[in-house]
Amino acid sequence: MKEWQRVILFLVVFSLSLVGLKYWRQHSPQASAAQIRNQKDSLANLQDTLENADWAIRGDDTTALLLSLSNTILTRLEENGFEGLANYIDSSQSLWVSPYAYLSDDTKKLKPSQLPSLNDTTKQYWGLFDGSGDSIMLDPSKYLNRFVLDRPFKDSSEITVNHLGGRGNSIDNHHKFFPQSHNVTYFVNGSERYGEMDWKQLKLVYEASDGRMYLRALIHDEWTI
């Protein structure tokens, strides 16, 4: 069964379960509190399974999994900012966040426990601007708008899986830090107005652990001097 078929199946079962619970409660007024709790627990477990259906590795569906998972993560970022990524990061690891392709030991790292606090307006250090060398001091929302969601990447006509190498002058060295990783790369062409030099790229890097794919890095890239 394909990944999308599993998700649809879970949606159908989950919806039917909700309808069944409502009917059962309306027509079983004598139901005990324990019985109702058990029904709710079963639905909660089913919902958790559904939410995790797009990041569990199954057979040879790795490419489809990565594409589906990346699309979901971009949606979470659009809707909830960094906080929306909490369920996609290994609790024992950190998420690397870089404005350009080149990574170093100084690249910004976020622990899952830090994500809920990233919806405030406190400015943080994210690295250095290319060219000027000035510090990138932005609040999380502004960083997302400038270095993650600065293009409609989900609608990109060029989406590749396990793409290696960079587009511009900045060296793509993510495999140095994540040698066993997978990635999904979104590329948006530049405009004629700027000689196509205003292209943008976003790479989502994953590592597998305990049968699941976890997000390890959000790597933005663009034309650099």
Side-chain angles (χ1 to χ4, degrees):
M1 185 181 294
K2 297 296 184 181
E3 195 69 29
W4 65 270
Q5 292 174 315
R6 292 193 186 94
V7 173
I8 291 176
L9 177 60
F10 276 121
L11 284 171
V12 171
V13 174
F14 184 64
S15 300
L16 290 175
S17 298
L18 286 175
V19 173
L21 176 60
K22 181 179 180 180
Y23 179 87
W24 180 70
R25 293 185 66 179
Q26 290 176 341
H27 295 81
S28 302
Q30 304 305 319
S32 68
Q35 288 174 314
I36 294 175
R37 281 198 302 272
N38 288 338
Q39 285 289 97
K40 288 183 176 180
D41 288 343
S42 295
L43 284 175
N45 291 334
L46 181 59
Q47 184 174 19
D48 182 64
T49 300
L50 174 60
E51 290 176 348
N52 290 316
D54 58 354
W55 60 321
I57 303 171
R58 299 180 180 88
D60 298 325
D61 289 346
T62 303
T63 296
L65 162 67
L66 290 169
L67 291 171
S68 174
L69 179 55
S70 297
N71 188 73
T72 298
I73 285 175
L74 289 180
T75 300
R76 295 288 183 271
L77 284 167
E78 292 169 352
E79 295 175 347
N80 304 306
F82 281 108
E83 187 175 0
L85 302 182
N87 291 331
Y88 301 93
I89 303 171
D90 190 333
S91 59
S92 65
Q93 302 289 345
S94 295
L95 174 68
W96 292 43
V97 182
S98 179
Y100 305 107
Y102 187 77
L103 304 181
S104 72
D105 292 329
D106 295 327
T107 295
K108 179 81 169 179
K109 302 173 184 66
L110 300 172
K111 296 182 180 298
S113 59
Q114 294 177 286
L115 299 182
S117 65
L118 292 179
N119 283 340
D120 60 21
T121 58
T122 303
K123 290 184 177 180
Q124 299 193 26
Y125 174 77
W126 302 90
L128 300 174
F129 279 108
D130 174 69
S132 68
D134 294 338
S135 295
I136 301 175
M137 297 295 298
L138 298 170
D139 66 54
S141 177
K142 285 185 171 60
Y143 180 85
L144 279 175
N145 290 333
R146 171 61 181 85
F147 287 108
V148 179
L149 302 175
D150 53 330
R151 290 291 188 274
F153 287 111
K154 286 195 302 184
D155 299 326
S156 172
S157 60
E158 186 174 337
I159 304 173
T160 57
V161 176
N162 291 331
H163 173 268
L164 299 178
R167 299 276 184 172
N169 297 327
S170 185
I171 299 173
D172 179 358
N173 66 338
H174 76 276
H175 259 281
K176 173 183 176 181
F177 297 94
F178 308 105
Q180 304 299 321
S181 65
H182 300 270
N183 72 77
V184 173
T185 302
Y186 297 83
F187 181 78
V188 176
N189 286 311
S191 62
E192 292 184 9
R193 178 181 180 184
Y194 295 104
E196 299 187 350
M197 296 177 68
D198 54 333
W199 57 267
K200 303 285 184 175
Q201 179 175 283
L202 183 66
K203 188 185 298 288
L204 283 68
V205 179
Y206 300 92
E207 284 186 330
S209 178
D210 297 326
R212 289 180 173 176
M213 285 290 184
Y214 290 97
L215 182 65
R216 292 304 319 277
L218 283 174
I219 305 172
H220 180 270
D221 199 17
E222 59 188 45
W223 186 86
T224 55
I225 298 175

